[in-house]
Amino acid sequence: MEVKRPARRTQAERTAATRAQLLEAARKLFATTGFGEVSTQAIVEAAGVTRGALYHQFADKAELFAAVHEQVEAELVAEVGEAVAAAAPGGALAAMRVGARQFLDRCAAPEVQQIILIDAPSVLGWERWREVGLKYGLGVIETMLARAIADGEIPEQPVRPTAHVVLGALDEAALYVSRAADPQRARAEMDAVCERLIAGIAG
């Protein structure tokens, strides 16, 4: 009986697997100790690849961090969207309230705090950090606003500028809570601020 050998992976598959290993290893290290304390040697050892493989995939440690940051940001927004859908809020305005709370809940996670809120602004620079946030979060907020206007829950207003204000406010809210000496109190205060913001949009 002929034994079939397992199919050999293509170069593209090997490259994708190496990239995934590097992202997984770097993500754990960045989340645990922060960007500045993680060496490239520690990353390649944790990933089980060579230093050459790292530099084949990424120009340097900062670019690897950028890829990890975008991965975490994309997952964060997706999880918030899923949580809002599961809550089945009655209307777009209620969905915005749930979304704001869910966003702040997830920003309390150590991984999100360290990678997105603490390291990303300094490692990537403010503009690039905001660019990633806009890429993933802006569309979700615009959709909620547009639906709220269409349903008559909020008055007619320019959607994109309003979405920018809401997204900026949520980012600042998460930063404020993450840096507070008393996070629990800061979170309660910020929940009230977000509620007033949404109420203000509703007019």
Side-chain angles (χ1 to χ4, degrees):
M1 180 178 177
E2 184 180 355
V3 178
K4 290 186 178 180
R5 295 180 179 178
R8 295 181 63 181
R9 293 191 299 176
T10 65
Q11 180 60 39
E13 289 171 334
R14 289 194 296 273
T15 297
T18 299
R19 183 181 178 86
Q21 288 170 246
L22 285 164
L23 286 170
E24 181 181 5
R27 180 169 173 168
K28 289 177 181 177
L29 290 168
F30 290 147
T32 303
T33 60
F35 176 84
E37 300 301 317
V38 178
S39 68
T40 54
Q41 185 61 37
I43 293 170
V44 298
E45 287 178 0
V49 302
T50 64
R51 189 183 294 272
L54 187 155
Y55 289 113
H56 178 73
Q57 295 283 339
F58 304 97
D60 52 25
K61 187 176 75 165
E63 286 306 307
L64 172 55
F65 176 85
V68 168
H69 168 251
E70 184 154 353
Q71 183 182 67
V72 176
E73 182 81 39
E75 290 177 10
L76 169 66
V77 173
E79 287 172 5
V80 170
E82 289 168 4
V84 171
L93 205 59
M96 289 177 65
R97 292 189 175 97
V98 173
R101 290 194 297 271
Q102 290 292 334
F103 177 77
L104 292 179
D105 282 348
R106 281 156 178 75
C107 285
E111 178 186 62
V112 174
Q113 285 198 0
Q114 186 65 50
I115 293 174
I116 293 183
L117 301 177
I118 297 174
D119 283 339
S122 58
V123 176
L124 304 179
W126 189 87
E127 288 188 4
R128 191 174 182 187
W129 173 66
R130 289 293 294 131
E131 182 182 327
V132 175
L134 291 172
K135 177 179 177 181
Y136 291 98
L138 189 66
V140 175
I141 296 172
E142 285 183 333
T143 299
M144 289 182 179
L145 287 169
R147 181 182 163 193
I149 292 170
D151 292 348
E153 291 190 71
I154 64 175
E156 189 72 33
Q157 55 194 283
V159 171
R160 174 144 292 194
T162 307
H164 272 268
V165 169
V166 172
L167 181 60
L170 288 173
D171 282 341
E172 286 299 318
L175 286 166
Y176 178 82
V177 174
S178 72
R179 287 163 167 76
D182 184 349
Q184 187 173 2
R185 178 180 177 181
R187 172 59 195 276
E189 293 172 341
M190 201 52 73
D191 279 341
V193 170
C194 289
E195 176 62 34
R196 287 195 295 272
L197 174 67
I198 294 170
I201 292 171

